[in-house]
Amino acid sequence: IQGLAGLKINRLVLGEFKNERKLQKFDRSCLEGLCNLTIEQFRIAYLNKFSRNDTDLFNCLANVSMISLLSIPLGSLQALLKDFRWQHLEMINCDFEKFPALELRSLKKFVFTDNKDVSSFTKTELPSLQYLDLKRNHLSFKSCCSHTDFGTTNLKHLDLSFND
């Protein structure tokens, strides 16, 4: 990545593919040049040993418009994601312990699916949100789903299918 410094990149994909083995060891030094890139879309997938200490890499991605996290064992992102300029965020099968408390003013599309350990919903502050996909989790929506829960009145798409 350091060799790409100064470049403008439309889409950067890191990690393994689903039909391949999971990368057993993640060397965070390979991401050191990430802050020197201008990236439009960023996707990181199937890293088995992604440490919770590695989440500071997101600070280098604050201005990315689309970020996709696929099968990354994050556990949680406690108050990490604030004031980022992301417009599209996907968190798919990331082994979350609880629903992330997001405060992203520019986020328009949020996909949070296949996170089987998450059972309760946390209020979010997403005033620009228009598309919300929460399918295939174990979420319980007993006291959920007014515009105050999502912090938006702009929602046009909501998918709560295959939850508890």
Side-chain angles (χ1 to χ4, degrees):
I1 291 179
Q2 290 176 344
L4 301 174
L7 292 178
K8 182 177 181 183
I9 299 170
N10 183 43
R11 174 183 268 172
L12 180 61
V13 180
L14 300 176
E16 292 287 329
F17 295 97
K18 188 173 183 174
N19 61 349
E20 300 289 327
R21 71 195 189 295
K22 281 193 174 185
L23 192 62
Q24 294 301 312
K25 185 177 180 189
F26 177 69
D27 182 5
R28 73 175 270 113
S29 67
C30 72
L31 298 177
E32 287 177 3
L34 206 55
C35 290
N36 299 323
L37 301 176
T38 302
I39 305 170
E40 184 69 25
Q41 300 176 13
F42 180 78
R43 179 179 178 104
I44 189 165
Y46 294 98
L47 294 180
N48 205 29
K49 298 293 184 186
F50 190 87
S51 168
R52 291 177 187 171
N53 297 327
D54 293 325
T55 57
D56 63 340
L57 81 93
F58 294 118
N59 293 327
C60 291
L61 301 169
N63 293 320
V64 171
S65 67
M66 188 269 192
I67 187 159
S68 178
L69 308 172
L70 176 61
S71 293
I72 307 295
L74 290 173
S76 69
L77 292 176
Q78 301 275 24
L80 172 70
L81 308 176
K82 289 185 178 180
D83 301 323
F84 285 15
R85 294 190 179 113
W86 300 344
Q87 293 182 22
H88 182 147
L89 173 60
E90 296 179 354
M91 297 175 167
I92 302 169
N93 191 27
C94 289
D95 297 330
F96 279 94
E97 297 161 357
K98 62 183 181 177
F99 194 85
L102 299 175
E103 293 182 28
L104 297 168
R105 302 199 64 68
S106 61
L107 193 68
K108 294 180 180 179
K109 184 173 183 176
F110 181 41
V111 177
F112 185 83
T113 60
D114 295 305
N115 294 288
K116 303 296 184 194
D117 292 333
V118 178
S119 61
S120 62
F121 181 78
T122 303
K123 287 187 177 189
T124 60
E125 186 60 39
L126 306 170
S128 300
L129 192 67
Q130 297 176 7
Y131 184 102
L132 181 60
D133 185 348
L134 299 176
K135 70 178 168 272
R136 293 190 305 269
N137 295 296
H138 282 237
L139 292 168
S140 174
F141 297 102
K142 291 179 182 170
S143 63
C144 164
C145 301
S146 74
H147 67 88
T148 58
D149 291 325
F150 302 116
T152 186
T153 56
N154 299 318
L155 204 58
K156 296 177 181 173
H157 175 91
L158 176 62
D159 188 345
L160 303 174
S161 62
F162 303 103
N163 277 289
D164 289 348

